[in-house]
Amino acid sequence: MAAYIARRIGVSILILIAASFIMYVLAAGSGDPLRDLRGGNAANEAQLIAARVSALDLDVPAPLRWFLWLGGAAKCLVPFANSCDLGLTLDNAPVATILPTAMVSTLQLVTVATVVAIILGVVIGIVTALRQYSGFDIATTFLSFFLFSLPSFLIAVLLKEFIAIGFNDFLQDGAAIPAWLIVVIALVAGLIWMVLIGGSRRRRLIVFGVSAVATGAVLVYVSLTSWFLFPGLGPVGLLVVLAGVVFITTSLVSGLANRRALLASAITAAFVYIAFFVLQGLFTISSAFTLIFIAVAALVVGIVVGFLVGGSDRGQAVRAGAITGIVSMLLVFLDRFMQAWPSYVESGRINGRPIATVGSGTPGLTGDVWVTGIDSFTHLLLPTIALLLISFAQYTRYARAGLLEVLNQDYIRTARAKGLPERTVIMRHAFRNMLIPIATIVATDVGALLGGAVITEKVFAISGMGNLFATALGRTDLNPIMGYFIVIAIVAIAFNFLADLAYAALDPRVRVR
Amino acid sequence: MSQGMLEVTPEPHGPTGDRSDAVAGKSQGRIIFDRFLQNRISVVSLFVLVLIVLFAFSATGIGPIPGWWKYDYRSLNDQAGAPTLSLWPFALGEHPFGQNRIGVDYFALVMRGIQNSLIVMVVIGGLGTVVGTVVGAIAGYYRGWVDAVLMRITDVFIVIPAIVIGAVVGQTAGSGGLGVWFLSILLALVSWMSIARLVRAEFLSLREREFVEAARVAGASDLRIIFKHILPNAVGVVIVSATLLAASAILLETGLSYLGYGIRSPESSLGLLISDNQSAFSTRPWLYWWPALFIVSLALLVNFVGDGLRDAFDPRQKRFKRRKMREFVEAAQPQVSLKAPKSPTS
Amino acid sequence: MKIRRIGIGAIALAAASALMLSGCTTSAPDQSKGNKGTITVATTNEATSFNSSTPQGNLDTNGMIVYLTGTAGTSAGASLGGFFTLDDKFQVKHNDNIGTYEKVSDDPLTVKYTLKDDLKWSDGKPITADDLLVGWAIGSGYYNDSTIDEATGDVTGGTQYFSLAGSTDGLDKTAFPEVSDDNLSLTLTYSEPFVDWELANLLDKPAHVLADKAGVSEEDFIKTLKDTPKGDPANPVAPNATLKAAADFWNTGYDFTSFPDDKSLLVSSGPFIVSAYTPQQSITFSKNPEYKGSDEPAYDELVLRFIGDSNAQVTALQNGEVNAIYPQASADTLTALKNANLETFEGNQLSYDHLDLNFGSPVFQDPKVREAFLKTIPRQQILDSIVTPVNPDAKVLNSQIFVPANPEYSDAVAASGYDSFDKPDIEGAKALLAGATPTVRILYNTDNPNRVDSFQAIQASAAQAGFNIVDAGSPDWASLLPGGDYDASVFGWISPGAGNAALAQIFKTAGGGNYSKYSNASVDEMVNQAQTELDADALSKLKIDIDAQTAKDFYGLPLFQAPGLFASNGTVDGIKFFGNQTGIVWNAQDWTLKG
């Protein structure tokens, strides 16, 4: 395994070098980096040109200049030496210093969009496959393709118009949901659940009624308490939600019949619930690192609990405990973020309109990790949605096709024939195999998302990598182009690598060589 | 275990229902065609798609041949503005889709845009799929160093996003922009990677199957095995990706136009029209919605046609109903062993 | 035994966790800082420099920074912390918050600048005549002994210290100034009359900062200025090290890509001071604590957010993320703003779009071809599609020098006859061409939808007369403009609204902005006269004559005066349209927040 990883890293570096050469020569040939000076009316034009030529080695032909660039870039591999040299921009700013600020928002965007797109896409793909040619299937296919076919800047306009401005108006009007909307949402939710759960006519009607009433009741509560202005789960809400987490996690991981897994999950959730009360004081003074530490601690607690109560089938109990631990702790964090929401919304710089349409942060906003976290959330929400819709449709299609393919395999028929419960058939036998094509396209999809970020960042005025690239390309500013390229190439390669590992893990026929 | 030749030797009473195509004497192409005709959504989609293609190409003409529409997409007319199209009573009016800012007939522009976008779509979808399939098939079939080399080349291309290459080349091309054909061929050459990877993955697993072994024993050449035996089994995944690729091709071109590196005016493409008129979103929405309508329609239609094709090539996936399946399995428990597909015949 | 070990392990783990946790926490933040009173304005371009007087720093957002913080100098001119501002009629308004300046004699032209007593820079250092002397040294090019190639504008010998985007015209005719004993006033004597003497703002970057960057004390720096002789291009000498160091810093040291650690770059004389900068996102101004003028702003902070996309600006305004915007004016943007019930402020910008013919290109050597081409330009249609929706009263512009608001405009139109080119005369053009089909390559900015529209309209119309129009447009049009590799160009001139420097730049042979290689001896003569003409009527006459002569030579056609647009969401009072490139912040000191 170690040898495999080492070889993969070696190969990746070679790929990176080859691709960077292609990119360098192409980008260098795309224009004249001295154009602005040649056209300018500066009196010391010749001097400025000479200065730039010597600063950027423009007198060296591009293929040779690439070696100079590579030499500087290679220094980035030396750990902790801080000797990274990715060259200068046309404005004499070192690329190595402007890159990190640009990287943060783009990587945030792309990572969240990828993860959410995969999860949503796979879930919806599974459901549409299980309900093939149902109304839900056709509607989802239509919707996902509709969203997929809309250019991202058009989606951006729609999101800004309806989500940002609409939701902010709604908040400013006191966050009361109109009655007709409650009815419509309740009916739609009822319909969706009905189609999803299926069954006989009577069962469908019951599902429809129960889910519509439940949705309606929650919405009425939310509306009456102006929940969106003062959100929060509270001790009671959290207890209910945690119970749900225990139930769903266990039933997906092992089935409720596995009492030890259920016990592990429940004990972990109980620990987290206690932590919810104990840690509130710590949360007030927390930094991002504290939160990561606490989340990891919750994960460890889940694993330990699973290990201790697991008995004979330890693996499942450990898995149930770990998933419950981390998910529950994230919910506790979510509750704390919600507690910080009113102070954020009412801050003088937000003026009661939290969902933002431009930029990656409110200028000059200061606050603790919760407030700044919410600020990032409100700014990155819309761009992330715009970005994830690019790949969301693709994942639903592949997941649907993949599951349909798998469900027709003999081993699934065999599994069904031997009387295994449907959950086991889908989760144990079909799910893994369905993920194989998904793992294959993740790598290429991340590349597409990174490309798509160029447009998304432009529309939302976010100063990320894409913006950096677009500006630099317009001026034939080679070093920032290459800086951009290096980052996205490394991300693409990393995802590629992860996909290959996942691939090997999922498909026993593929050996890690 | 083999399932490869299902379409040649269909099960006599499978859970998939209708088996009307199992009539002896039909060629495989004929069988596929007949199956495709049974899928109503796909047939209607194909029909509408063909209609749009004919409509767009005949309206503005092809090359030197003039079309039937009275305005050229490059000529100025007196300003009028809003669309004159009315559905009831149906009348095209002077400018059915309205006019753009400077008074060019928008119907002519949109029709020309559909032409160019279709070219982009077909070239990228077609060429990209062919390149990707060939690369993936060869890599997956031969494995070893061939696979390693081809996949590393694929990795090099994956590392550079298509839109980035497109932007860099578009910048090089300068003010005229790239022509439609050159642009789409170029983009096709950088968009085949996901198909290559998918096809390779399919081939890696399919080549281990018995029917491939049987074909090899029977003395079939590598090429024959790849294209006659394995590829038809991987056609589902190829068609799904080809339709997605064709749909995303329009969007890629749209994105490039938005950044200013795609097709440029006075030429027209659906993406260019949308990005040119984005400020008109709330004021002259028709400038926005006509091209958007056609982009969405083309992408959806291509997808539905692709769905039908996949089902036609791969009958196992057709009309799969879990409930029916379970009932069937429960009812016919003892027959399960009989239902294993027959071994391949070639 | 085993249990004990686990117990110890658990204690150790808990202790380590506690330690780690305490290491990663922050103290509870204080929310006490008043967050009321911030006005946020969207601008299209990013800020890149605190000095907008250099060629690379001469961009609109940098100009706004300099205007608000007051360190404008002679090149940028008007600023809130300088000697004058412009009012909304583009009349020079002396800024008595800083000091006074007046003409004390006509012959020779003598101007006396007097600073108010007890003025301070934002870092607490006094503002004195030393600062004015430095401003003069920068703006006059007194010490330069460089030889400049007339054709290319390149330095071919000697030293040019301060690199200015504008020219040293006018101030280069001044002798070394006299400084009063109290070090508060400075007197300039011009060797010949200078028409724009009122536009010479002598307050540039602070003397003490430049001295510090040159590595000397302020006294020594001033002494260097006094001791260094006037530069003589005929006898270039070795550059003065101190002056060169200060000039080099002034030329490039004010450019930034992140918020500078060196706070001396931010030193301001105006009501605002830069207090924060997030690259590519925003720049924040707070009140200058040392500013004692009467126009102190009534709010805490002013934020300029950089939003390139006009549509994004409109939604951000609608959503309350910004209080006011300054988008590119187009009919669609205006309607979108009105539909959203936002306040709009429309007006004419001090810029006009025009079609220029390249006199260096072989196609246009024949005046008949020039005339024929101009006859095909559909100026009314261009106006109708671009400007009329924003400004229904707009008329085709018929002068290269005046706008309809100027009193001289109607006389100029009568003299030049540009109004006869209103509508295309295809038949007339065909007659002049007599069957020829010249190819014309037109350069324009493909990123500006208005220019694209103009180009397409011209292309369609000129083709009817037999011209073969080639699209030579580019997003980098500005850098392609001086090269001359095109036959005609469509672009806009922006003028500061006051002064006559543009005449020499545009119409004089080999002038800095004479991209169309136009050359006419009588125009050159008139332009030179205009530079030293102090009598207003005579000056008007000269300018009308220049306008008429260029029309006779078929120089090109003015198209329209560009419409301008500000908008706010009603949260700020006091916004008023202003057509100069300072843009929306021109009266930021007068704004008040509602509610």
Side-chain angles (χ1 to χ4, degrees):
Chain A
M1 192 66 185
Y4 170 74
I5 292 178
R7 202 174 53 231
R8 266 311 290 256
I9 291 177
V11 171
S12 299
I13 290 177
L14 288 181
I15 290 171
L16 200 57
I17 292 176
S20 80
F21 180 76
I22 297 175
M23 189 71 192
Y24 197 93
V25 175
L26 273 180
S30 73
D32 176 12
L34 297 172
R35 199 168 31 199
D36 58 324
L37 294 180
R38 292 207 172 111
N41 49 5
N44 52 349
E45 194 185 301
Q47 193 190 331
L48 291 175
I49 289 180
R52 185 175 292 174
V53 166
S54 78
L56 301 178
D57 298 309
L58 295 177
D59 44 350
V60 182
L64 295 179
R65 207 175 339 133
W66 172 76
F67 285 100
L68 295 176
W69 174 84
L70 191 66
K75 286 186 206 150
C76 299
L77 294 176
V78 184
F80 308 117
N82 214 1
S83 58
C84 215
D85 177 15
L86 293 173
L88 301 171
T89 66
L90 295 187
D91 304 321
N92 291 320
V95 173
T97 61
I98 57 173
L99 213 48
T101 46
M103 245 158 66
V104 176
S105 44
T106 304
L107 291 187
Q108 238 171 343
L109 262 180
V110 171
T111 315
V112 177
T114 309
V115 172
V116 175
I118 293 176
I119 294 175
L120 267 185
V122 167
V123 169
I124 291 184
I126 290 177
V127 175
T128 49
L130 293 180
R131 298 278 174 273
Q132 196 191 10
Y133 295 116
S134 68
F136 180 77
D137 179 24
I138 292 174
T140 327
T141 306
F142 190 85
L143 185 72
S144 65
F145 257 84
F146 181 71
L147 294 174
F148 178 64
S149 318
L150 291 179
S152 49
F153 46 89
L154 174 51
I155 291 179
V157 172
L158 298 175
L159 286 174
K160 286 179 178 188
E161 204 69 42
F162 297 111
I163 306 246
I165 295 178
F167 185 74
N168 287 339
D169 286 348
F170 161 74
L171 283 190
Q172 283 196 317
D173 294 345
I177 310 169
W180 63 268
L181 193 61
I182 295 181
V183 173
V184 170
I185 295 177
L187 289 181
V188 170
L191 272 177
I192 291 177
W193 283 112
M194 184 181 82
V195 176
L196 289 189
I197 293 179
S200 64
R201 180 181 298 261
R202 185 159 161 273
R203 188 173 154 192
R204 286 199 211 189
L205 275 177
I206 293 173
V207 168
F208 174 77
V210 168
S211 50
V213 169
T215 313
V218 169
L219 287 178
V220 168
Y221 172 78
V222 161
S223 176
L224 288 181
T225 54
S226 295
W227 191 83
F228 280 107
L229 285 174
F230 310 99
L233 296 173
V236 181
L238 189 67
L239 196 60
V240 173
V241 176
L242 287 189
V245 169
V246 169
F247 177 77
I248 293 173
T249 311
T250 319
S251 55
L252 285 183
V253 169
S254 62
L256 290 175
N258 187 335
R259 293 293 156 187
R260 284 182 181 273
L262 186 63
L263 188 65
S265 179
I267 294 178
T268 313
F271 271 121
V272 174
Y273 193 61
I274 295 166
F276 165 71
F277 295 102
V278 176
L279 293 181
Q280 287 298 334
L282 178 65
F283 283 158
T284 319
I285 54 167
S286 285
S287 68
F289 289 108
T290 327
L291 299 189
I292 293 173
F293 181 81
I294 295 175
V296 171
L299 182 72
V300 171
V301 167
I303 292 173
V304 169
V305 169
F307 187 80
L308 292 180
V309 303
S312 57
D313 201 358
R314 252 185 198 149
Q316 287 193 340
V318 166
R319 233 177 293 154
I323 295 176
T324 312
I326 191 104
V327 172
S328 310
M329 197 41 100
L330 291 181
L331 284 168
V332 171
F333 290 167
L334 180 68
D335 179 75
R336 185 59 183 75
F337 274 115
M338 288 176 172
Q339 289 176 34
W341 178 258
S343 70
Y344 174 77
V345 173
E346 278 149 30
S347 129
R349 289 182 189 272
I350 307 301
N351 290 321
R353 301 187 67 88
I355 306 294
T357 62
V358 283
S360 52
T362 307
L365 183 87
T366 52
D368 56 15
V369 62
W370 307 104
V371 168
T372 50
I374 293 176
D375 194 50
S376 296
F377 167 76
T378 55
H379 280 84
L380 293 180
L381 176 67
L382 298 191
T384 307
I385 296 177
L387 199 54
L388 82 86
L389 290 181
I390 296 176
S391 52
F392 161 73
Q394 203 178 348
Y395 286 117
T396 61
R397 299 312 292 165
Y398 280 110
R400 180 177 177 274
L403 188 58
L404 284 178
E405 170 109 31
V406 170
L407 283 179
N408 281 292
Q409 303 280 9
D410 296 335
Y411 60 84
I412 297 292
R413 236 179 271 175
T414 315
R416 285 226 176 86
K418 63 184 188 184
L420 285 179
E422 192 64 15
R423 185 198 65 77
T424 316
V425 173
I426 304 290
M427 291 304 292
R428 278 271 176 81
H429 298 260
F431 186 62
R432 274 173 78 99
N433 290 295
M434 182 200 85
L435 287 180
I436 294 172
I438 303 277
T440 320
I441 60 163
V442 166
T444 45
D445 185 65
V446 167
L449 277 188
L450 285 164
V454 176
I455 293 169
T456 313
E457 283 174 14
K458 193 172 166 180
V459 186
F460 286 99
I462 293 173
S463 56
M465 308 279 301
N467 207 345
L468 183 79
F469 167 74
T471 326
L473 182 63
R475 314 175 57 191
T476 326
D477 197 350
L478 197 50
N479 288 325
I481 296 179
M482 292 310 291
Y484 164 80
F485 167 76
I486 280 295
V487 174
I488 61 161
I490 289 175
V491 172
I493 285 178
F495 269 90
N496 213 335
F497 181 56
L498 288 179
D500 275 3
L501 285 186
Y503 197 65
L506 289 169
D507 191 345
R509 285 166 301 185
V510 177
R511 284 175 301 278
V512 169
R513 279 177 291 117
Chain B
M1 270 303 286
S2 150
Q3 335 174 5
M5 306 310 285
L6 266 181
E7 57 274 52
V8 185
T9 56
E11 304 151 54
H13 41 67
T16 48
D18 45 15
R19 289 283 78 144
S20 56
D21 47 69
V23 181
K26 278 188 183 176
S27 73
Q28 188 167 340
R30 178 79 206 180
I31 295 171
I32 292 170
F33 181 70
D34 284 354
R35 274 201 217 113
F36 181 78
L37 285 187
Q38 284 166 15
N39 190 330
R40 218 171 307 143
I41 298 183
S42 306
V43 174
V44 172
S45 299
L46 184 64
F47 181 71
V48 177
L49 191 62
V50 170
L51 214 64
I52 291 182
V53 172
L54 289 179
F55 196 63
F57 276 90
S58 68
T60 47
I62 309 165
I65 311 161
W68 51 264
W69 183 240
K70 54 191 161 183
Y71 294 110
D72 187 70
Y73 67 97
R74 282 161 301 200
S75 65
L76 291 178
N77 308 295
D78 287 338
Q79 303 258 326
T84 56
L85 180 72
S86 84
L87 288 179
W88 191 262
F90 183 81
L92 279 180
E94 198 59 20
H95 298 289
F97 287 7
Q99 284 169 298
N100 76 355
R101 277 192 309 255
I102 58 168
V104 178
D105 180 60
Y106 211 56
F107 182 79
L109 271 176
V110 170
M111 289 302 129
R112 180 70 182 179
I114 294 176
Q115 273 189 31
N116 282 335
S117 293
L118 276 170
I119 292 172
V120 170
M121 204 163 156
V122 169
V123 172
I124 297 184
L127 189 58
T129 306
V130 169
V131 174
T133 308
V134 169
V135 170
I138 292 175
Y141 182 76
Y142 288 103
R143 299 201 304 200
W145 67 268
V146 178
D147 180 30
V149 169
L150 286 176
M151 281 302 109
R152 293 302 81 80
I153 293 176
T154 313
D155 287 345
V156 169
F157 278 96
I158 285 180
V159 160
I160 315 174
I163 198 165
V164 169
I165 290 244
V168 169
V169 177
Q171 165 84 355
T172 315
S175 60
L178 302 160
V180 185
W181 288 99
F182 187 59
L183 179 78
S184 27
I185 290 174
L186 179 99
L187 291 180
L189 292 181
V190 292
S191 352
W192 48 267
M193 292 84 70
S194 63
I195 293 185
R197 287 179 66 105
L198 285 168
V199 170
R200 168 182 173 267
E202 286 286 305
F203 267 64
L204 278 182
S205 85
L206 287 173
R207 77 186 296 283
E208 308 290 340
R209 297 281 174 83
E210 293 85 345
F211 69 89
V212 175
E213 198 54 46
R216 206 173 286 130
V217 170
S221 70
D222 281 356
L223 276 183
R224 192 177 162 79
I225 295 177
I226 291 176
F227 291 105
K228 277 278 175 186
H229 296 273
I230 307 185
L231 194 56
N233 284 284
V235 88
V237 80
V238 170
I239 286 177
V240 173
S241 1
T243 41
L244 282 167
L245 186 60
S248 64
I250 288 200
L251 297 173
L252 182 60
E253 191 274 316
T254 307
L256 279 178
S257 293
Y258 179 77
L259 294 175
Y261 300 117
I263 291 171
R264 300 192 190 188
S265 83
E267 256 318 329
S268 171
S269 81
L270 294 178
L272 181 68
L273 290 179
I274 287 207
S275 65
D276 264 3
N277 294 305
Q278 30 162 341
S279 64
F281 176 69
S282 60
T283 54
R284 280 179 278 185
W286 64 87
L287 293 182
Y288 215 78
W289 289 117
W290 285 121
L293 174 77
F294 281 103
I295 288 185
V296 173
S297 320
L298 289 180
L300 269 176
L301 293 174
V302 166
N303 173 59
F304 284 135
V305 173
D307 262 6
L309 280 178
R310 194 205 50 218
D311 288 348
F313 274 103
D314 197 356
R316 286 168 297 151
Q317 296 203 356
K318 195 155 181 238
R319 297 283 164 199
F320 166 76
K321 285 231 165 64
R322 194 175 51 126
R323 195 147 38 92
K324 264 194 191 160
M325 165 80 132
R326 202 184 299 135
E327 284 158 10
F328 172 79
V329 170
E330 279 157 11
Q333 279 280 0
Q335 286 180 28
V336 166
S337 59
L338 296 178
K339 289 198 43 7
K342 291 176 185 128
S343 47
T345 50
S346 59
Chain C
M1 192 65 191
K2 193 182 171 194
I3 291 170
R4 222 179 110 199
R5 217 181 297 147
I6 291 176
I8 292 173
I11 292 171
L13 194 74
S17 315
L19 220 109
M20 207 171 144
L21 272 176
S22 61
C24 320
T25 51
T26 55
S27 56
D30 63 313
Q31 300 276 22
S32 56
K33 196 179 158 195
N35 269 344
K36 295 287 173 197
T38 300
I39 293 181
T40 309
V41 177
T43 62
T44 306
N45 296 313
E46 288 164 20
T48 61
S49 180
F50 298 119
N51 186 358
S52 70
S53 305
T54 60
Q56 81 278 9
N58 187 16
L59 302 168
D60 61 350
T61 306
N62 297 340
M64 291 183 186
I65 299 176
V66 160
Y67 179 81
L68 294 166
T69 59
T71 50
T74 56
S75 188
S79 76
L80 293 177
F83 276 93
F84 74 95
T85 56
L86 298 177
D87 69 10
D88 58 347
K89 304 276 186 308
F90 307 109
Q91 299 301 312
V92 172
K93 203 171 103 187
H94 290 225
N95 181 2
D96 47 17
N97 290 318
I98 296 298
T100 56
Y101 64 120
E102 57 191 344
K103 186 162 67 174
V104 289
S105 147
D106 262 335
D107 189 22
L109 175 62
T110 311
V111 183
K112 184 177 184 192
Y113 294 79
T114 309
L115 284 163
K116 269 173 80 176
D117 201 5
D118 204 25
L119 281 182
K120 282 193 178 123
W121 292 102
S122 58
D123 60 355
K125 298 271 173 35
I127 303 178
T128 66
D130 289 351
D131 295 304
L132 301 185
L133 188 66
V134 170
W136 166 83
I138 294 169
S140 64
Y142 183 80
Y143 302 102
N144 295 346
D145 52 15
S146 51
T147 320
I148 293 183
D149 181 349
E150 281 278 317
T152 62
D154 290 352
V155 176
T156 51
T159 313
Q160 177 169 6
Y161 290 98
F162 296 95
S163 175
L164 293 170
S167 74
T168 57
D169 285 353
L171 279 178
D172 59 349
K173 305 291 190 313
T174 53
F176 192 85
E178 277 174 51
V179 176
S180 69
D181 291 340
D182 61 1
N183 206 15
L184 283 178
S185 62
L186 176 146
T187 309
L188 278 184
T189 311
Y190 292 82
S191 61
E192 46 183 81
F194 176 46
V195 56
D196 291 335
W197 65 267
E198 236 182 338
L199 299 180
N201 169 26
L202 287 194
L203 204 55
D204 203 297
K205 298 294 176 196
H208 66 273
V209 173
L210 291 182
D212 185 49
K213 298 300 171 189
V216 294
S217 70
E218 191 178 341
E219 290 79 47
D220 288 347
F221 185 54
I222 299 302
K223 193 165 179 307
T224 310
L225 290 182
K226 287 180 175 158
D227 294 348
T228 312
K230 182 174 168 60
D232 179 6
N235 300 304
V237 293
N240 179 307
T242 307
L243 200 50
K244 182 88 177 105
D248 285 347
F249 179 76
W250 187 89
N251 290 341
T252 58
Y254 282 99
D255 300 349
F256 57 88
T257 50
S258 61
F259 191 59
D261 296 326
D262 180 359
K263 297 292 174 273
S264 67
L265 300 187
L266 311 176
V267 175
S268 151
S269 63
F272 294 95
I273 178 169
V274 175
S275 59
Y277 169 72
T278 318
Q280 299 177 315
Q281 291 276 309
S282 63
I283 187 162
T284 307
F285 301 86
S286 49
K287 286 194 214 175
N288 174 358
E290 299 291 341
Y291 184 74
K292 298 190 187 69
S294 56
D295 52 0
E296 202 186 334
Y299 49 95
D300 292 334
E301 283 185 324
L302 176 68
V303 180
L304 296 183
R305 282 192 88 162
F306 317 133
I307 305 175
D309 186 311
S310 283
N311 305 314
Q313 286 194 12
V314 174
T315 37
L317 180 68
Q318 223 178 327
N319 197 26
E321 284 164 84
V322 294
N323 303 87
I325 61 174
Y326 175 28
Q328 190 159 37
S330 81
D332 290 318
T333 310
L334 182 70
T335 323
L337 287 166
K338 291 207 161 144
N339 288 351
N341 287 324
L342 298 164
E343 276 183 72
T344 56
F345 307 85
E346 301 115 79
N348 287 316
Q349 275 186 315
L350 273 180
S351 73
Y352 69 100
D353 276 27
H354 51 94
L355 168 84
D356 286 358
L357 307 185
N358 185 358
F359 281 65
S361 112
V363 186
F364 289 130
Q365 293 307 316
D366 182 356
K368 271 190 186 160
V369 180
R370 295 204 294 268
E371 188 182 356
F373 186 61
L374 296 190
K375 273 186 186 301
T376 65
I377 310 301
R379 294 202 300 160
Q380 188 64 43
Q381 178 163 25
I382 292 172
L383 183 87
D384 285 347
S385 56
I386 298 171
V387 188
T388 314
V390 186
N391 176 6
D393 303 329
K395 297 245 161 29
V396 169
L397 185 66
N398 284 320
S399 166
Q400 300 268 15
I401 295 174
F402 301 104
V403 293
N406 295 120
E408 301 95 332
Y409 181 74
S410 52
D411 290 344
V413 176
S416 67
Y418 274 125
D419 50 351
S420 62
F421 290 97
D422 253 11
K423 292 245 161 64
D425 173 11
I426 303 295
E427 290 314 311
K430 274 185 181 160
L432 281 166
L433 282 179
T437 56
T439 298
V440 179
R441 292 163 301 152
I442 303 184
L443 176 73
Y444 65 98
N445 177 6
T446 47
D447 277 351
N448 182 334
N450 289 352
R451 305 272 156 73
V452 176
D453 290 352
S454 299
F455 167 76
Q456 289 178 353
I458 292 171
Q459 185 181 40
S461 174
Q464 290 173 17
F467 282 98
N468 174 23
I469 305 295
V470 176
D471 182 351
S474 160
D476 302 307
W477 64 281
S479 52
L480 298 172
L481 205 48
D485 188 23
Y486 54 88
D487 304 313
S489 54
V490 179
F491 64 103
W493 281 123
I494 305 172
S495 81
N500 300 287
L503 285 180
Q505 272 184 36
I506 299 175
F507 299 112
K508 198 171 155 181
T509 306
N514 186 352
Y515 300 125
S516 47
K517 311 218 167 27
Y518 176 72
S519 175
N520 180 321
S522 72
V523 170
D524 287 355
E525 175 62 32
M526 286 190 281
V527 167
N528 286 340
Q529 276 179 31
Q531 291 305 297
T532 57
E533 183 60 67
L534 292 182
D535 177 61
D537 290 340
L539 183 64
S540 301
K541 174 86 180 53
L542 273 172
K543 283 156 87 172
I544 290 172
D545 288 348
I546 295 171
D547 209 5
Q549 185 58 46
T550 56
K552 248 179 230 130
D553 291 336
F554 306 112
Y555 174 89
L557 282 179
L559 297 175
F560 55 83
Q561 193 178 3
L565 178 63
F566 301 165
S568 91
N569 57 4
T571 50
V572 177
D573 272 334
I575 293 175
K576 204 169 170 190
F577 185 79
F578 186 52
N580 163 298
Q581 48 189 323
T582 314
I584 190 165
V585 299
W586 77 285
N587 65 347
Q589 73 281 9
D590 300 332
W591 294 348
T592 50
L593 268 169
K594 276 189 203 165

